[in-house]
Amino acid sequence: MNFYLEALGRQVKKENENPSVGLLLCASRNDEVVEYAMSRSISPMLVSQYQLQLSDKTILEKKLQQLVNIPQIED
């Protein structure tokens, strides 16, 4: 993910925009895998809760729009 965020920051991000944030959705939880995968990263990173089932697509779209203030997502 760091590769893609770095590429996005260098190639796409405008000067007035904040740094990009990556979001990783996983089907299952494994604390040991997360610890090993993220231990060498120097970027600030938070690990949040997990859910056994994803929320409804429209709820996720609305929440994403609230967080990043983007125009309405169309199908």
Side-chain angles (χ1 to χ4, degrees):
M1 181 176 305
N2 286 334
F3 171 84
Y4 294 107
L5 290 172
E6 184 65 24
L8 183 65
R10 290 185 187 194
Q11 303 287 327
V12 179
K13 185 177 91 60
K14 303 201 175 15
E15 287 186 30
N16 63 331
E17 295 178 327
N18 290 327
S20 299
V21 175
L23 177 64
L24 182 62
L25 301 175
C26 302
S28 62
R29 177 181 176 165
N30 186 324
D31 291 338
E32 188 174 17
V33 170
V34 171
E35 182 180 342
Y36 281 112
M38 306 301 184
S39 65
R40 291 187 179 241
S41 176
I42 59 173
S43 300
M45 192 171 310
L46 300 173
V47 178
S48 186
Q49 66 185 17
Y50 72 100
Q51 296 177 347
L52 298 178
Q53 184 177 354
L54 282 177
S55 300
D56 181 79
K57 180 182 174 182
T58 56
I59 294 172
L60 292 173
E61 287 176 345
K62 286 179 183 177
K63 187 62 175 176
L64 179 61
Q65 290 167 6
Q66 290 173 352
L67 291 173
V68 295
N69 196 21
I70 60 173
Q72 182 73 20
I73 297 173
E74 296 181 18
D75 289 333

